[in-house]
């Protein structure tokens, strides 16, 4: 267990974080409810500040909550810390990607490697308002496909899949503060 946590920290050690981890209570019935709550709260801030937010989704007594860490503005990078004693409670990762840049619509190589390495789904909220998930084992882009989308020509980028609600509708996430207040 400790090696897995150290592995996560080593995998993203070159990435920067500027804020401490905040944590919500385990107030949600499903993983997706916790992800949606986290993304709705932080995606508008992420877009406005062009800053990534990232965290984990954790399970506690058959309920779910989330952690959040604020990244550096305009850095397109972030790291999170998971303590060894809480690793067994982590069921997923989530993050935002900042402002309206075309490459912010895709999972990065670090995102997909994290999902694969720790065998946990990785959720992404972006400026388009769609919530997507990359699950371990899903396909990633070839370097050629990545280049065609304006991404660096390397393996590991992914589109993921849209998260859908119980009515099979795509889940939409807040992109503006006015959506939170209305």
């Amino acid at each position: 267990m400790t090696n897995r946590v150290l592995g996560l920290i080593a995998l993203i050690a070159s990435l920067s974080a500027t804020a401490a981890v905040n944590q919500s209570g385990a107030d949600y019935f499903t993983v997706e409810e916790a992800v949606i709550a986290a993304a709705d709260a932080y995606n508008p801030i992420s877009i406005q500040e062009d800053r990534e937010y990232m965290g984990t989704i954790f399970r506690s007594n058959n309920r779910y909550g989330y952690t959040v860490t604020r990244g550096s503005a305009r850095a397109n990078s972030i790291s999170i810390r998971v303590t060894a004693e809480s690793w067994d409670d982590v069921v997923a990762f989530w993050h935002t990607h900042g402002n309206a840049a075309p490459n912010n619509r895709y999972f990065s190589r670090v995102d997909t490697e994290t999902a694969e390495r720790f065998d946990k789904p990785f959720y992404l909220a972006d400026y388009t308002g769609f919530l997507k998930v990359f699950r371990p084992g899903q396909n990633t882009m070839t370097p050629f496909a990545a280049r065609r989308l304006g991404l660096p020509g390397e393996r590991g980028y992914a589109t993921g899949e849209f998260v859908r609600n119980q009515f099979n509708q795509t889940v939409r996430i807040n992109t503006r503060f006015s959506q939170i207040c209305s």
Side-chain angles (χ1 to χ4, degrees):
M1 175 171 52
T2 302
N3 289 339
R4 294 178 82 179
V5 174
L6 293 175
L8 174 60
I9 293 168
L11 176 67
I12 55 182
S14 64
L15 306 175
S16 64
T18 60
V21 172
N22 295 320
Q23 184 168 305
S24 77
D27 299 326
Y28 306 98
F29 291 107
T30 67
V31 170
E32 286 76 18
E33 284 180 9
V35 170
I36 291 166
D40 272 344
Y42 290 95
N43 198 43
I45 301 166
S46 174
I47 294 166
Q48 180 180 344
E49 297 177 350
D50 193 18
R51 177 189 314 267
E52 289 192 29
Y53 286 81
M54 182 178 180
T56 62
I57 302 299
F58 63 90
R59 180 180 29 242
S60 177
N61 298 323
N62 294 320
R63 300 281 287 234
Y64 299 89
Y66 63 87
T67 64
V68 60
T69 300
R70 180 178 64 146
S72 298
R74 295 170 297 286
N76 279 340
S77 63
I78 191 168
S79 63
I80 61 172
R81 291 169 185 83
V82 179
T83 62
E85 60 272 5
S86 63
W87 179 253
D88 289 338
D89 298 328
V90 173
V91 296
F93 299 100
W94 73 273
H95 72 313
T96 63
H97 259 185
N99 73 359
N103 58 323
N104 285 349
R105 296 182 358 228
Y106 303 101
F107 290 90
S108 71
R109 179 184 51 79
V110 172
D111 299 342
T112 61
E113 286 176 356
T114 300
E116 294 292 347
R117 181 174 183 147
F118 298 102
D119 196 30
K120 299 192 185 301
F122 207 130
Y123 291 84
L124 169 64
D126 65 27
Y127 70 93
T128 66
F130 288 105
L131 181 63
K132 293 174 268 192
V133 61
F134 178 84
R135 297 181 193 287
Q138 285 185 315
N139 291 331
T140 59
M141 295 179 200
T142 64
F144 177 75
R147 271 193 305 277
R148 288 187 59 179
L149 293 171
L151 300 168
E154 57 187 50
R155 292 193 172 279
Y157 287 94
T159 55
E161 62 186 47
F162 292 112
V163 175
R164 298 187 176 276
N165 65 18
Q166 68 269 25
F167 305 109
N168 203 31
Q169 300 165 320
T170 20
V171 171
R172 297 302 305 255
I173 297 300
N174 293 332
T175 57
R176 295 184 312 262
F177 289 111
S178 62
Q179 292 173 302
I180 297 170
C181 300
S182 55

